[in-house]
């Protein structure tokens, strides 16, 4: 029995003002919308892993065992993302990093490490603009620019989008040209900045198929992630990327559809 994997309910706007303030210092002005570019029909191409820098990571995923997808937004951050990658490697886990193009282009080595250690990189826009406030061409330009930056570094074009604040409208669904990945557990790490609160939020109700939202730009999140990764592993959860999660569950990810978990099919 499959439950409906699509979430069509309105998404409450999450305004993390403080986080944005913090980010602003490092965000490069993005006024130069490329007016000359056509409406790309290949905005987020399928990954072409053949010529990617991803190594053959020997991670066996057992579809019968429980799994969780940790996701980290708004990075990469030199110190904290590396810390989280250390923890993932230690427990042979992987996660998905929804990165900002503006930060990716300044932290290429971390983007490379994310991919080389078997993790997935997704698009989280260039500098965290609210996509629902942009026109179709602006959406396309922003996401194309970000995907280009990631592809230049990794040779993999990101296939997933996490819209900032989880804000989605019909325009975003249409022009994202990618599955829209939300979450089923929000750790509210940006708000609490408290290691124990983040750990509790992640672990309290966690279950097979959950997608957990965190941000790899806070020290508290990096510290919490170490505990969360260790604890989930000891509870028998496999830590998987979004692509791995849906593949293992036998669920399709479709462009323009919204996903918040993978509870759908159980075996
Ligand atoms: Zn974000």
């Amino acid at each position: 029995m499959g439950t409906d994997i699509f979430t069509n309910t309105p998404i409450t706007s999450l305004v993390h003002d403080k986080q944005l303030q913090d980010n602003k210092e490092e965000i490069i002005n993005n006024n130069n919308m490329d007016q000359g570019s056509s409406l790309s029909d290949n905005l987020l191409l399928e990954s072409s892993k053949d010529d990617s820098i991803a190594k053959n990571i020997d991670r066996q995923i057992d579809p019968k065992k429980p799994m969780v997808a940790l996701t980290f937004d708004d990075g990469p951050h030199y110190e904290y993302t590396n810390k989280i990658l250390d923890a993932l490697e230690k427990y042979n886990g992987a996660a998905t990093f929804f990165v900002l193009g503006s930060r990716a282009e300044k932290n290429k080595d971390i983007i490379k490490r994310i991919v080389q250690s078997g993790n997935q990189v997704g698009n989280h826009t260039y500098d965290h603009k609210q996509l629902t406030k942009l026109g179709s061409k602006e959406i396309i330009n922003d996401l194309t620019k970000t995907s280009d930056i990631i592809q230049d570094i990794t040779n993999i074009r990101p296939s997933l989008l996490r819209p900032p604040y989880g804000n989605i409208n019909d325009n975003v669904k249409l022009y994202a040209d990618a599955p829209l990945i939300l979450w089923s557990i929000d750790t509210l790490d940006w708000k609490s900045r408290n290691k124990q609160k983040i750990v509790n939020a992640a672990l309290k109700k966690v279950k097979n198929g959950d997608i957990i939202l965190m941000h790899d730009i806070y020290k508290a999140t990096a510290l919490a992630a170490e505990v969360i990764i260790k604890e989930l592993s000891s509870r028998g959860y496999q830590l998987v990327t979004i692509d791995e999660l849906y593949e293992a569950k036998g669920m399709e990810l479709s462009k323009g559809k919204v996903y918040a978990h993978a509870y759908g099919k159980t075996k």
Side-chain angles (χ1 to χ4, degrees):
M1 283 283 285
T3 44
D4 186 10
I5 56 172
F6 303 132
T7 307
N8 289 318
T9 46
I11 306 304
T12 310
S13 175
L14 296 173
V15 183
H16 24 133
D17 292 319
K18 186 69 177 75
Q19 175 193 328
L20 282 179
Q21 270 173 23
D22 289 354
N23 283 351
K24 251 175 206 163
E25 299 153 24
E26 297 185 58
I27 286 169
I28 294 169
N29 277 330
N30 182 29
N31 300 325
N32 55 333
M33 283 299 175
D34 185 1
Q35 300 298 335
S37 75
S38 62
L39 298 183
S40 168
D41 53 356
N42 287 319
L43 190 56
L44 295 162
L45 295 172
E46 292 295 315
S47 306
S48 53
K49 291 190 175 174
D50 290 349
D51 58 349
S52 84
I53 59 167
K55 290 173 187 164
N56 277 332
I57 306 291
D58 188 23
R59 295 177 51 248
Q60 304 286 339
I61 295 159
D62 185 345
K64 297 185 192 73
K65 290 182 180 167
M67 61 190 83
V68 164
L70 302 178
T71 63
F72 297 93
D73 291 9
D74 297 3
H77 182 284
Y78 184 78
E79 186 181 349
Y80 306 142
T81 306
N82 274 320
K83 215 172 170 57
I84 292 164
L85 291 171
D86 289 343
L88 287 166
E89 282 176 16
K90 188 173 172 187
Y91 292 95
N92 201 28
T96 304
F97 294 80
F98 290 98
V99 305
L100 298 177
S102 57
R103 297 186 71 113
E105 64 190 2
K106 289 191 291 181
N107 293 284
K108 292 180 182 173
D109 286 349
I110 306 176
I111 297 287
K112 281 181 187 161
R113 185 181 173 200
I114 289 172
V115 171
Q116 282 170 341
S117 47
N119 302 283
Q120 187 170 7
V121 175
N123 191 325
H124 194 48
T125 75
Y126 184 75
D127 57 3
H128 218 270
K129 281 201 181 66
Q130 202 169 148
L131 292 174
T132 49
K133 291 185 173 172
L134 303 184
S136 55
K137 192 167 181 176
E138 288 174 308
I139 293 172
I140 290 168
N141 284 346
D142 184 298
L143 300 181
T144 301
K145 180 178 179 178
T146 304
S147 287
D148 285 348
I149 290 166
I150 296 165
Q151 188 174 16
D152 280 349
I153 302 167
T154 64
N155 287 327
I156 302 174
R157 197 152 186 88
S159 60
L160 307 174
L161 172 68
R162 172 163 284 161
Y165 315 101
N167 285 353
I168 294 167
N169 61 15
D170 286 344
N171 243 8
V172 174
K173 287 181 187 174
L174 186 62
Y175 295 107
D177 198 33
L180 307 167
I181 310 298
L182 299 183
W183 53 85
S184 50
I185 293 179
D186 188 347
T187 62
L188 298 174
D189 57 343
W190 57 271
K191 198 175 180 183
S192 75
R193 311 281 186 96
N194 178 290
K195 175 186 164 186
Q196 197 53 49
K197 282 185 179 174
I198 298 166
V199 169
N200 292 346
L203 298 178
K204 199 169 49 182
K205 294 177 182 171
V206 67
K207 60 181 180 291
N208 187 14
D210 268 323
I211 298 174
I212 301 180
L213 171 65
M214 287 182 271
H215 299 81
D216 52 331
I217 53 172
Y218 305 118
K219 186 178 184 184
T221 300
L223 294 171
E226 291 177 324
V227 177
I228 291 163
I229 290 163
K230 183 181 179 189
E231 175 64 20
L232 286 174
S233 299
S234 77
R235 290 188 196 177
Y237 282 98
Q238 301 169 96
L239 302 178
V240 297
T241 66
I242 294 292
D243 275 358
E244 288 170 341
L245 175 67
Y246 282 87
E247 191 183 339
K249 297 289 183 185
M251 297 162 72
E252 195 99 2
L253 286 169
S254 303
K255 291 176 179 181
K257 299 288 185 187
V258 182
Y259 302 86
H261 54 72
Y263 304 151
K265 292 179 183 176
T266 49
K267 296 184 179 177

